[in-house]
Amino acid sequence: MNFEQMTPLERRAAFSLAAIFGVRMLGLFMVLPVFALYADCLDGATPALIGLAIGIYGLSQALLQIPFGMASDRLGRKPVIAFGLLVFAAGSALAALSSSIEGMIAGRALQGAGAVAAAVMALAADLTREEHRTKAMAVIGMSIGMSFLAAMIAGPLFGAWLGLHGLFWMIAAMALLGIAILYLAVPTPRHCRHHSDAEPLPGQFARVLRDTQLLRLDAGIFVLHMTLTAMFVAMPLMLVDAGLAGSDHWRLYLPVMLLAMAAAVPFIIVAEKRGAMKAVFLGAIAMIGASLAAMGLWHGSLWALGGLLWLFFAAFNLLEATLPSMISKLAPLEAKGTAMGVYSSSQFAGAFVGGWLGGWGYGEYGVEGLFSGLLLLLALWWLLASGMRRPPRLSSRQIYLGELDQARAESLERELMALAGVAEVRVIVSESVAYLRVDGTRVDDQALLRYSAAAD
């Protein structure tokens, strides 16, 4: 990734906001590999309630992240983000103080209510120029993947050292660290405005929710995160039963996660560069299904679980990378932020349902029953995805045009469409921005940037 053309302020904004996103997601993810191991110390704990406690944050996150983003348009980005991080810290403290599973469920729900993701993305858009926004968003996106990797190692380590309640105190402190980063490191934008590529727009929800291609992808991220969360209701206990002490789980997760990330990269390149997105996508769904089926059969062998976890996470990482790319390619240009908002809410809703049904399924039917149910859902997802339209081999560009009226906007749309490699253009007068889809092998980026320079 080339940062040479980004200003120092843009680089500072990208990395400091990625740090805020990272510490928050690390706090949420750290619980995943250890909660089932330590939750039996809580009064009233049952497998179903343990699963609910693991996934309940997803429900409040799914319901509130879009309202938080919209509130940041009116109240300011930083106050809304700071408030959300305080709510997250309060939820962590409530969980740390709880001796019952009901209190833990309430704490986890309050954690999810600090839903600052959309507001952070909006602030990133305020602080970066249109032509460099994709780079900033990529940095933030990478922080999520790195947070998940770190959580798989840090969760078992700190869980063994601090215990479940101490872990939540640590997570609360991390949320407060996020507030410090917000005010000490993140630049303050001169003004906030709406960005169609990064924020939801109420008037576009009906259009996005009627798009069957986007709904297939929303259903996909729902099933993917439902599967992940449900699996981790049982996986820590399966590893202990296979002979690996809870404090040593990181020794398995570390090589598995690193090797899985490395294995996914060539397939991501093939999917993007050779136009094989759909084939790679369907293959990854099948790979996750095969790994789960084998886990249900060979869950008593530690070596088998290690290899199958590698297979699962290689496919998981591949899908995590390709699903947002497909949303970006298929969403209407003027509704990309809305499509991503619905997609993100679907992801968190999947985590909620996965924890809830995963705990219930594990308690009622054991490992074999749980993994059989997940395999059935993955088969349904594969069938749904097989009817999906092949995504076009196009990438996105944005150009800031300066002040313009509707007549000039229509003229610019025609001029931009006439350029080689430009497949689609939408000029949004209220934002003074042109959103484009282009063939990256044919488009002349310097010709596009001349429109921005001329407008200035």
Side-chain angles (χ1 to χ4, degrees):
M1 188 175 297
N2 180 12
F3 292 101
E4 291 179 0
Q5 295 179 335
M6 295 180 77
T7 67
L9 184 143
E10 287 175 323
R11 290 194 293 270
R12 178 179 151 201
F15 284 101
S16 57
L17 288 171
I20 292 172
F21 221 108
V23 295
R24 182 180 178 278
M25 298 310 294
L26 178 61
L28 286 171
F29 291 147
M30 280 173 66
V31 176
L32 195 61
V34 299
F35 192 85
L37 294 176
Y38 301 112
D40 58 357
C41 69
L42 300 171
D43 295 338
T46 65
L49 291 177
I50 289 170
L52 183 59
I54 291 173
I56 189 66
Y57 82 92
L59 178 62
S60 46
Q61 177 88 22
L63 293 175
L64 293 174
Q65 68 152 346
I66 290 177
F68 262 69
M70 292 178 175
S72 75
D73 287 336
R74 294 177 174 270
L75 303 175
R77 311 295 191 204
K78 285 191 173 182
V80 168
I81 295 170
F83 175 75
L85 290 170
L86 282 173
V87 171
F88 180 74
S92 304
L94 176 58
L97 292 167
S98 297
S99 59
S100 69
I101 190 66
E102 292 82 6
M104 191 64 72
I105 290 169
R108 288 284 283 169
L110 191 57
Q111 277 188 317
V116 299
V120 170
M121 292 299 190
L123 181 54
D126 287 334
L127 291 168
T128 53
R129 289 167 293 164
E130 283 74 11
E131 58 266 32
H132 300 302
R133 189 167 301 148
T134 301
K135 299 174 186 176
M137 297 302 181
V139 171
I140 295 172
M142 286 191 295
S143 75
I144 300 173
M146 296 306 296
S147 295
F148 189 80
L149 171 62
M152 292 296 102
I153 294 103
L157 280 172
F158 286 106
W161 179 33
L162 301 173
L164 187 61
H165 294 91
L167 187 62
F168 277 106
W169 282 122
M170 179 180 172
I171 293 168
M174 290 165 57
L176 299 179
L177 173 63
I179 297 175
I181 295 171
L182 177 68
Y183 284 103
L184 296 177
V186 179
T188 299
R190 293 178 181 175
H191 29 202
C192 300
R193 59 186 179 88
H194 189 273
H195 309 271
S196 296
D197 62 323
E199 299 177 71
L201 188 65
Q204 295 288 354
F205 279 113
R207 181 181 183 185
V208 166
L209 293 172
R210 286 196 303 265
D211 190 317
T212 57
Q213 298 300 314
L214 293 177
L215 288 176
R216 290 172 195 266
L217 299 175
D218 295 334
I221 196 63
F222 177 93
V223 173
L224 183 64
H225 278 260
M226 183 193 71
T227 301
L228 176 72
T229 311
M231 186 182 76
F232 270 99
V233 174
M235 183 55 63
L237 301 173
M238 292 162 61
L239 291 176
V240 169
D241 290 343
L244 187 65
S247 59
D248 291 329
H249 284 190
W250 69 273
R251 299 180 186 274
L252 176 67
Y253 291 135
L254 178 58
V256 162
M257 298 298 293
L258 290 175
L259 291 171
M261 291 175 68
V265 170
F267 291 97
I268 294 170
I269 294 172
V270 168
E272 290 284 356
K273 300 295 184 183
R274 299 189 180 179
M277 183 76 75
K278 184 176 177 180
V280 170
F281 184 74
L282 292 173
I285 299 173
M287 190 184 301
I288 285 187
S291 66
L292 292 177
M295 284 180 199
L297 293 174
W298 298 314
H299 56 85
S301 166
L302 186 59
W303 283 103
L305 285 177
L308 294 169
L309 277 171
W310 169 77
L311 190 65
F312 175 91
F313 278 113
F316 179 87
N317 291 335
L318 179 56
L319 291 167
E320 281 280 280
T322 54
L323 275 163
S325 175
M326 293 168 79
I327 288 278
S328 179
K329 294 175 189 299
L330 293 173
L333 276 174
E334 64 273 29
K336 181 180 171 184
T338 306
M340 289 303 300
V342 173
Y343 168 87
S344 184
S345 294
S346 301
Q347 171 183 327
F348 288 113
F352 162 63
V353 174
W356 178 32
L357 291 183
W360 173 80
Y362 179 69
E364 292 292 322
Y365 303 106
V367 171
E368 293 85 355
L370 172 61
F371 281 75
S372 295
L374 293 175
L375 183 59
L376 176 61
L377 288 170
L378 283 160
L380 293 174
W381 178 18
W382 192 94
L383 290 173
L384 184 67
S386 65
M388 182 178 62
R389 189 172 73 239
R390 185 178 178 179
R393 296 178 64 180
L394 301 174
S395 55
S396 298
R397 301 284 193 278
Q398 298 91 34
I399 306 172
Y400 179 68
L401 301 170
E403 295 298 324
L404 72 166
D405 57 22
Q406 187 60 42
R408 178 58 178 155
E410 293 172 1
S411 173
L412 284 170
E413 282 191 357
R414 290 191 294 270
E415 291 179 34
L416 289 166
M417 275 298 297
L419 296 177
V422 176
E424 189 178 356
V425 180
R426 292 290 184 276
V427 175
I428 309 297
V429 175
S430 60
E431 300 176 31
S432 303
V433 172
Y435 295 102
L436 304 91
R437 282 204 179 95
V438 302
D439 181 344
T441 63
R442 297 177 55 227
V443 72
D444 182 351
D445 281 317
Q446 291 304 313
L448 296 180
L449 287 176
R450 280 196 289 271
Y451 281 85
S452 179
D456 292 337

